[in-house]
Amino acid sequence: MPIVKGQEERDFTASDILAPQRWASVASRPPFGLDVTCTKIAVDFQTLEPKTAEAVLRRNLELLREATGTDAVFLATYDASATSILSVEASKGLFVACSPEVLRGESLETLPFLRERLTHTRILEIRDTLTARREHAAEAQRFGELGMRAILLVGLAVRGLRYGFLGLATGAPCAGWDVNFHLLLKLVGNSLAGGLDRVALERELDDLKQRNELSLPCTNEGLWDYDAASNRTWFSPRWKAMLGYAEDELNRAPDWNKLVHPDDLPRVSQMIREHVAGRSPLFESMHRMRHRDGEWRWVVSRAKAHVDSGSLKRLVGVELDVTERKLYEEALFREKERAQITLQSIGDGVITTDEHSRVEYLNPVAEELTGWRVEDAMGRNLDDIFRAFHEETCEPLENPLASAIRRLRPVKSVRPMLFIRRDGNEIYIESTASPIRDGTGTVTGGVLVFHDVSESRELNRRLSYHASHDVLTGLVNRREFENRLERALRSAKARETSYALCYLDLDQFKIVNDTCGHSAGDALLGQVGQLLKSKVRWRDTLSRLGGDEFGVLLEACSLDEALRTAEGLREAVRNCRFQWEERTFRLGVSIGVVPIAPENEDVASVLSAADSACQAAKEQGRNRVHCFEENDIDLMRRRREMQWAARINTALEEGRFDLYRQSIRPLQADEVGLHYEILLRMRDEQGKVITPDNFIAAAERYGLTPSIDRWVVENTLRWLVSEADERDKLAMCSINLSGQSLGDDKFLPFVIEQFHRTGLDARRICFEITETAAIASFSQANRFIQALKELGCKFALDDFGTGLSSFGYLKHFPVDFLKIDGSFVKEILHDPIDREMVRSINEIGHLTNKRTIAEFAENEDIITMLRNLGVDYAQGYGVARPQKIQRGPIERSVSGEPT
């Protein structure tokens, strides 16, 4: 009996365990009746039988309650996932308030100790649910709500899984549960778990036996079971019947060497050995076995071995007679092979379908002609595979096989048909279609036979296509475009209709090509070509004229409509984003629009006018549309630039260029030696000095700046070599280079050769590259800078601050100086924004270990302001005006190049 709780109420502690009065009851044996009763309960639980388990359980719970003198004894079992209490079997005394059966359906989430810690044979003791330990608080509260003040539980596990718990409960608290109760509950709980485990095993065994008894007669497969220890083999009735044996035959292991066909025996034996050795998870084979009457039967055999310590203990297998299926398969294979060889040998395409025109087969010729593989075409409607059109009008034609099935007679084409392959190519074919009938005359399908009659026509079509289309974009090429433009010009002169020409040039295409490579550039051109194609009318002609230039010939289009179309094309390109290897580029396009009028002389003049209008759009800021007019100011300027280009070439030939130098003053600390920049001037035919502002734009447009840069570099280095005094006083000489020179593959070797020829110390030379040129020729600029830095040259980023991505590109260029653009410097005294721009550029330069030079320092006040801002150098009229360099004549080679 539990010890009745006294007046003092405290937890069960180590002192309680060691107290003599607690162990006094242990020394004495429990009453003989209790001992006998508990032994009987344990034996009954241990020997539970499936049929009487529930009755024995209820009876013994009642005996256990009476023997222990508790108010309630109950068994709670969990559900399969052990997350809630599935059932409660309880025995209660009369007039007791304990209600353990209410726990049925209770979630173990609210009883954490039971869920997580009450394992097999572990005891949970609660003397008083009102003063339980903290870890038992949830359980104590719930049991208390059910009228149980003192609880003693033991956890149960069956088949290795948590099963539930067995509990004793009283409606009154106790000072402590007797140790004998602990031992008793563990004994009874362990016996109950063992009995339940035994019941579960017996039920599984009964279920297995019943399943075997029911399934063996139902299966068409023969089963055999070989016991290696007794060398006996059991065969199912079906297996014996399958091979012609009576039920009382083959009680011992047969001679498998005689049962298995000699040709199959080596392979079967090898596979059995590999499986027994553990090299295959399952033995599977199709082989022949001898029937009792001597006939060989094809069987599919599967077997699984039980091996212990490397020794075979048992081998169980099933076998299915597939002789008839094998014979049918072989006959069918022979017929199919004969038909396949026949169909593959003929030169015509053959397609067979069912009665609903669903494709069932294509021979290789049909695969080649249609572009469809048989695997892709099977099950599709024939209209998806076979699309025929009238050869002249291109109107869709009824499928010939559908027509034959509908008319119930063969249908032969009377003239070639235009056939569209899966890849979109066109061929010309002739066909014959016939329905297929079964023995009753019902149409069960159809066959379509066709052959190619257009080899020469197809070859000519392809040659014509490739001759008139651009390979990269699939658009009309320049030659075909000029032909169509010429026809449009004749139509315009005949005043049949109006035409307009749009000349498109992609903006910033060179950046994509230089930074991501030519593959990216090709992909961009293809993408833009498809975009433009989707925005023009079917009657208009879109062409790739070359490089990143496109042309659109607009038919039956006024000038206003052409301008609207051009604006739509510009907007479409502007909204397009080109992505390449995690980089995204915004696109733009400059468009020149020219109306095609009867006054136009020829195709060349129209294209030239459109090109001029496009260049005007670029010069106006790019990504815009410019319409050509006869008295176009921009066109007149371009013509002036062409005249300037001729004058520049003449000046180079006649040596009418002069070098000037302008000093650069250090602002933060004195430096030893002269620091200046080389400037260029040109003299006209009368000897008048011309500044670069007048001719440099024309030089850049017509690609003359590399020749000018060669002249400047060679003459500057030769002057420094010839003037020993100047060379000795020199600290740094800056030479400007154009962006076109950076992209000239021959310019870098030329500069290196000049240093080697003159022997000048390269550490005293600084090359200035404009920010715009550096950004436009990013990769070339990097290669150029790295190569000359190896010689010791310095580099400056000129006109810094005018580019859109100054700071972003700055950290990627290994330059030594930043030249702050003069547009920020000249108003620095009056414009706070310009002053902050100079301050920001100076700080960014210093953070990236670059010295700064301010241009346009026109007076001492600006120089003082620059010094206060921390700028390193100043250059401008406030420092010094440019001075002409006196140099000796330079001999020229026969070709005109300096020597």
Side-chain angles (χ1 to χ4, degrees):
M1 291 290 291
I3 301 171
V4 179
K5 184 174 179 183
Q7 295 181 351
E8 294 185 0
E9 184 179 343
R10 57 191 181 88
D11 290 338
F12 183 74
T13 64
S15 299
D16 296 326
I17 295 174
L18 299 176
Q21 59 271 24
R22 178 162 187 86
W23 290 94
S25 59
V26 180
S28 58
R29 294 175 57 83
F32 177 74
L34 176 61
D35 192 16
V36 173
T37 302
C38 293
T39 301
K40 179 184 182 303
I41 293 172
V43 172
D44 286 349
F45 282 165
Q46 190 70 40
T47 58
L48 283 175
E49 296 291 340
K51 295 182 179 180
T52 61
E54 293 184 4
V56 171
L57 181 62
R58 286 194 294 269
R59 183 177 66 252
N60 282 281
L61 288 180
E62 180 68 24
L63 288 176
L64 184 59
R65 182 186 62 79
E66 294 174 354
T68 56
T70 53
D71 292 337
V73 176
F74 58 95
L75 171 64
T77 60
Y78 300 152
D79 61 5
S81 60
T83 57
S84 65
I85 297 175
L86 178 64
S87 65
V88 177
E89 187 68 39
S91 173
K92 301 191 298 182
L94 296 176
F95 311 114
V96 297
C98 300
S99 302
E101 65 278 2
V102 179
L103 291 173
R104 184 180 296 110
E106 190 90 11
S107 173
L108 292 183
E109 291 294 327
T110 61
L111 306 170
F113 188 90
L114 297 183
R115 183 185 72 246
E116 300 172 2
R117 301 174 61 181
L118 191 63
T119 56
H120 184 57
T121 68
R122 182 170 182 176
I123 294 294
L124 168 60
E125 178 184 7
I126 300 178
R127 305 176 204 168
D128 189 349
T129 55
L130 298 180
T131 59
R133 297 183 185 181
R134 180 178 302 173
E135 62 267 27
H136 304 154
E139 285 75 11
Q141 180 181 352
R142 183 56 179 149
F143 288 137
E145 293 172 354
L146 301 180
M148 295 179 278
R149 290 289 299 275
I151 297 293
L152 188 64
L153 305 179
V154 63
L156 303 179
V158 176
R159 305 297 302 277
L161 301 175
R162 295 174 59 200
Y163 182 78
F165 55 87
L166 179 65
L168 307 178
T170 64
C174 66
W177 288 89
D178 192 286
V179 172
N180 288 318
F181 280 74
H182 285 248
L183 298 176
L184 170 64
L185 200 57
K186 281 194 174 185
L187 172 62
V188 174
N190 201 41
S191 298
L192 177 58
L196 292 172
D197 192 61
R198 182 168 171 271
V199 169
L201 285 173
E202 290 185 5
R203 285 175 176 168
E204 288 184 9
L205 182 59
D206 291 341
D207 185 60
L208 182 59
K209 289 180 179 179
Q210 188 178 32
R211 184 183 301 118
N212 288 338
E213 291 174 356
L214 295 174
S215 61
L216 281 178
C218 298
T219 180
N220 199 34
E221 295 179 331
L223 174 66
W224 53 267
D225 183 357
Y226 171 67
D227 185 0
S230 63
N231 194 29
R232 295 180 66 88
T233 305
W234 173 85
F235 295 97
S236 71
R238 173 57 189 159
W239 190 94
K240 293 180 179 180
M242 185 175 65
L243 292 179
Y245 292 96
E247 290 192 10
D248 57 350
E249 292 184 277
L250 293 178
N251 292 324
R252 300 189 61 85
D255 187 354
W256 291 97
N257 293 331
K258 295 180 180 179
L259 277 177
V260 180
H261 195 284
D263 293 344
D264 301 332
L265 183 60
R267 173 176 58 85
V268 173
S269 299
Q270 178 65 24
M271 294 174 67
I272 284 284
R273 286 193 294 270
E274 289 183 354
H275 172 60
V276 172
R279 289 191 288 271
S280 63
L282 189 70
F283 165 77
E284 290 186 278
S285 172
M286 177 182 286
H287 53 267
R288 287 161 289 182
M289 294 187 69
R290 186 189 298 273
H291 194 272
R292 195 175 187 281
D293 60 9
E295 179 187 1
W296 293 104
R297 309 290 293 180
W298 280 98
V299 299
V300 174
S301 178
R302 296 180 181 86
K304 181 71 174 177
H306 172 60
V307 179
D308 188 10
S309 301
S311 177
L312 176 64
K313 300 298 182 183
R314 196 170 191 174
L315 186 63
V316 179
V318 294
E319 285 164 345
L320 175 65
D321 188 343
V322 294
T323 303
E324 292 185 4
R325 189 181 77 183
K326 187 72 175 177
L327 294 175
Y328 283 135
E329 286 178 354
E330 291 177 352
L332 180 62
F333 177 79
R334 287 193 299 269
E335 291 297 325
K336 184 177 180 181
E337 188 71 11
R338 186 180 298 113
Q340 292 279 41
I341 292 174
T342 302
L343 290 174
Q344 292 177 9
S345 300
I346 65 176
D348 292 347
V350 178
I351 300 177
T352 60
T353 71
D354 62 11
E355 66 274 19
H356 301 294
S357 295
R358 288 191 292 263
V359 175
E360 293 182 340
Y361 172 76
L362 281 77
N363 74 339
V365 176
E367 287 184 319
E368 181 181 356
L369 293 178
T370 63
W372 284 82
R373 295 188 307 169
V374 63
E375 296 86 357
D376 298 334
M378 286 182 61
R380 287 180 173 268
N381 192 282
L382 183 60
D383 289 332
D384 297 335
I385 313 301
F386 195 91
R387 295 179 295 161
F389 300 84
H390 192 279
E391 64 171 339
E392 294 179 356
T393 64
C394 294
E395 294 180 355
L397 298 177
E398 182 184 10
N399 191 290
L401 187 54
S403 176
I405 292 176
R406 189 182 72 254
R407 298 179 184 181
L408 300 178
R409 61 179 178 82
V411 174
K412 183 177 180 178
S413 59
V414 296
R415 60 187 304 170
M417 297 179 292
L418 177 63
F419 178 76
I420 308 299
R421 290 164 43 92
R422 185 181 187 182
D423 58 10
N425 289 328
E426 302 174 355
I427 60 175
Y428 289 88
I429 63 169
E430 291 181 349
S431 68
T432 301
S434 300
I436 299 176
R437 296 180 174 89
D438 61 12
T440 64
T442 304
V443 175
T444 60
V447 58
L448 176 65
V449 181
F450 58 100
H451 59 277
D452 185 4
V453 296
S454 62
E455 182 177 355
S456 59
R457 296 175 68 177
E458 177 67 13
L459 178 61
N460 292 334
R461 191 196 67 80
R462 291 184 178 181
L463 291 175
S464 175
Y465 177 85
H466 289 300
S468 60
H469 286 74
D470 175 58
V471 177
L472 181 61
T473 61
L475 303 177
V476 171
N477 60 19
R478 187 182 188 100
R479 179 181 177 182
E480 178 64 17
F481 187 77
E482 289 180 351
N483 291 337
R484 298 186 185 186
L485 184 59
E486 185 175 2
R487 291 196 295 268
L489 187 59
R490 289 198 300 267
S491 177
K493 289 182 177 181
R495 302 187 183 278
E496 295 174 351
T497 186
S498 57
Y499 293 86
L501 172 63
C502 296
Y503 199 101
L504 295 80
D505 192 339
L506 294 181
D507 299 329
Q508 306 300 331
F509 172 76
K510 185 174 177 57
I511 293 180
V512 176
N513 224 24
D514 291 345
T515 57
C516 298
H518 294 293
S519 297
D522 292 346
L524 172 59
L525 291 175
Q527 181 175 324
V528 170
Q530 293 303 312
L531 174 65
L532 296 176
K533 188 175 181 179
S534 67
K535 300 297 181 182
V536 298
R537 302 170 300 177
W538 65 270
R539 69 178 69 176
D540 301 328
T541 300
L542 173 63
S543 168
R544 181 188 175 209
L545 301 179
D548 59 345
E549 297 173 344
F550 296 84
V552 181
L553 177 60
L554 302 173
E555 182 181 350
C557 182
S558 66
L559 181 58
D560 290 340
E561 292 172 337
L563 289 174
R564 286 195 295 270
T565 300
E567 185 61 31
L569 295 176
R570 185 199 66 80
E571 186 67 19
V573 174
R574 187 183 71 85
N575 293 331
C576 179
R577 299 292 181 270
F578 177 69
Q579 293 184 338
W580 186 265
E581 296 180 350
E582 299 182 357
R583 295 185 179 182
T584 302
F585 298 88
R586 299 186 64 177
L587 304 180
V589 62
S590 299
I591 305 178
V593 179
V594 177
I596 299 177
E599 294 77 18
N600 293 120
E601 296 179 3
D602 52 23
V603 170
S605 64
V606 175
L607 287 174
S608 176
D611 182 29
S612 298
C614 180
Q615 293 301 322
K618 278 185 171 292
E619 293 168 4
Q620 291 170 6
R622 298 178 181 271
N623 193 34
R624 61 189 63 223
V625 176
H626 185 85
C627 182
F628 174 83
E629 296 179 2
E630 190 61 36
N631 297 322
D632 198 318
I633 296 177
D634 290 327
L635 179 60
M636 297 172 63
R637 178 177 55 78
R638 284 179 54 79
R639 290 173 178 170
R640 287 198 303 270
E641 288 178 349
M642 293 177 63
Q643 296 172 355
W644 269 111
R647 295 179 64 184
I648 292 170
N649 280 321
T650 303
L652 283 171
E653 292 292 331
E654 297 176 358
R656 287 191 281 107
F657 281 98
D658 292 322
L659 297 178
Y660 285 70
R661 65 179 179 182
Q662 185 176 30
S663 296
I664 299 175
R665 181 193 298 177
L667 300 182
Q668 305 303 326
D670 294 335
E671 295 182 1
V672 178
L674 299 177
H675 187 176
Y676 48 79
E677 177 184 356
I678 298 297
L679 305 177
L680 182 67
R681 301 290 186 268
M682 187 177 81
R683 286 176 282 112
D684 63 11
E685 293 76 2
Q686 288 76 37
K688 182 180 178 182
V689 175
I690 304 173
T691 60
D693 295 342
N694 295 299
F695 63 84
I696 201 66
E700 289 179 346
R701 176 179 297 279
Y702 292 99
L704 300 176
T705 50
S707 299
I708 296 175
D709 288 345
R710 281 181 168 84
W711 189 93
V712 173
V713 170
E714 182 177 8
N715 281 271
T716 299
L717 298 187
R718 180 165 292 194
W719 170 69
L720 290 173
V721 170
S722 64
E723 299 291 337
D725 291 342
E726 292 291 339
R727 186 172 64 254
D728 293 340
K729 293 185 292 183
L730 177 64
M732 187 67 65
C733 174
S734 296
I735 301 175
N736 284 283
L737 298 179
S738 68
Q740 292 179 357
S741 296
L742 298 180
D744 187 345
D745 295 337
K746 298 180 180 179
F747 186 74
L748 177 59
F750 168 79
V751 175
I752 295 175
E753 180 186 0
Q754 293 302 313
F755 278 113
H756 291 163
R757 178 183 296 179
T758 60
L760 190 68
D761 186 1
R763 293 174 297 178
R764 299 186 181 185
I765 302 299
C766 176
F767 290 105
E768 295 187 7
I769 303 173
T770 64
E771 179 193 4
T772 303
I775 294 175
S777 305
F778 180 76
S779 57
Q780 292 94 330
N782 260 327
R783 289 196 296 270
F784 188 89
I785 293 173
Q786 295 293 348
L788 292 184
K789 270 187 168 292
E790 292 180 1
L791 299 179
C793 296
K794 301 292 188 297
F795 280 85
L797 200 57
D798 199 9
D799 300 336
F800 188 78
T802 58
L804 296 177
S805 304
S806 301
F807 296 151
Y809 278 86
L810 178 58
K811 58 184 178 182
H812 299 296
F813 283 96
V815 297
D816 305 280
F817 299 92
L818 293 184
K819 298 198 72 172
I820 305 173
D821 189 71
S823 61
F824 301 121
V825 178
K826 60 185 180 181
E827 296 294 334
I828 195 173
L829 297 177
H830 311 292
D831 192 332
I833 296 178
D834 286 347
R835 186 160 56 250
E836 288 304 314
M837 286 293 295
V838 172
R839 185 196 308 276
S840 298
I841 295 173
N842 182 64
E843 290 177 355
I844 291 294
H846 288 168
L847 286 174
T848 54
N849 297 319
K850 297 171 178 59
R851 288 174 286 177
T852 54
I853 303 173
E855 301 174 321
F856 278 71
E858 297 181 349
N859 53 57
E860 284 298 328
D861 292 338
I862 293 178
I863 294 173
T864 301
M865 176 67 73
L866 293 172
R867 182 182 292 110
N868 293 336
L869 292 175
V871 177
D872 299 307
Y873 300 91
Q875 178 183 359
Y877 283 4
V879 175
R881 288 183 173 271
Q883 298 179 349
K884 185 177 180 180
I885 293 176
Q886 301 298 327
R887 55 187 176 83
I890 296 178
E891 297 181 1
R892 306 188 68 82
S893 65
V894 177
S895 63
E897 291 293 329
T899 60

